Amino acid sequence: QVQLVESGGGLVQAGGSLRLSCVASGRSLSSYALGWFRQAPGKEREFVAAINWSGSSTNYLDSVKGRFTISRNNAENTVYLQMNNVKPEDTAAYSCAARFGRVYYYTQASEYQYWGQGTQVTVSS
């Protein structure tokens, strides 16, 4: 069993930056692909970014490319989402997810086995 806990959310002005963290406990994340998803009120959950087990491959939602960066530190059992130049449309609850596997990254929520509770990001205009 893997437990995931996100932190780093908050209120930020448009154009600002935030760094989300997701720490795992229960098992080492070194054999897990990791992802970040978000859900705004009244909307479906949306893929944001994914990273494979080693950090050598990543994938992003088109609207965040060039602004967000996913990274991981397997020694610290942590995945990060650096959010730069944020926009009001980035406002959502952000959750991290983990899926066992040492090959690919995954972009579909249904492919992930473990989820955190989420952290709220609110971007003011």
Side-chain angles (χ1 to χ4, degrees), residues 24-71:
S25 61
R27 290 184 182 174
S28 168
L29 285 183
S30 61
S31 295
Y32 285 78
L34 302 169
W36 285 96
F37 290 76
R38 67 187 182 187
Q39 188 167 20
K43 294 189 176 182
E44 297 286 320
R45 183 165 51 192
E46 177 179 53
F47 164 77
V48 176
I51 190 167
N52 73 336
W53 69 278
S54 66
S56 61
S57 295
T58 58
N59 191 273
Y60 296 92
L61 176 70
D62 283 347
S63 62
V64 308
K65 284 180 181 177
R67 300 189 297 120
F68 292 9
T69 303
I70 187 171
S71 62

Side-chain angles (χ1 to χ4, degrees), residues 41-117:
K43 294 189 176 182
E44 297 286 320
R45 183 165 51 192
E46 177 179 53
F47 164 77
V48 176
I51 190 167
N52 73 336
W53 69 278
S54 66
S56 61
S57 295
T58 58
N59 191 273
Y60 296 92
L61 176 70
D62 283 347
S63 62
V64 308
K65 284 180 181 177
R67 300 189 297 120
F68 292 9
T69 303
I70 187 171
S71 62
R72 65 190 295 163
N73 185 325
N74 286 343
E76 295 185 354
N77 244 20
T78 303
V79 60
Y80 304 98
L81 186 68
Q82 178 66 44
M83 306 169 62
N84 296 331
N85 189 24
V86 295
K87 302 176 180 181
E89 51 264 42
D90 294 323
T91 294
Y94 284 72
S95 299
C96 64
R99 180 221 162 96
F100 184 80
R102 274 202 154 198
V103 178
Y104 304 112
Y105 54 71
Y106 301 91
T107 62
Q108 302 297 314
S110 59
E111 296 175 302
Y112 285 88
Q113 299 163 297
Y114 303 104
W115 290 84
Q117 292 296 312

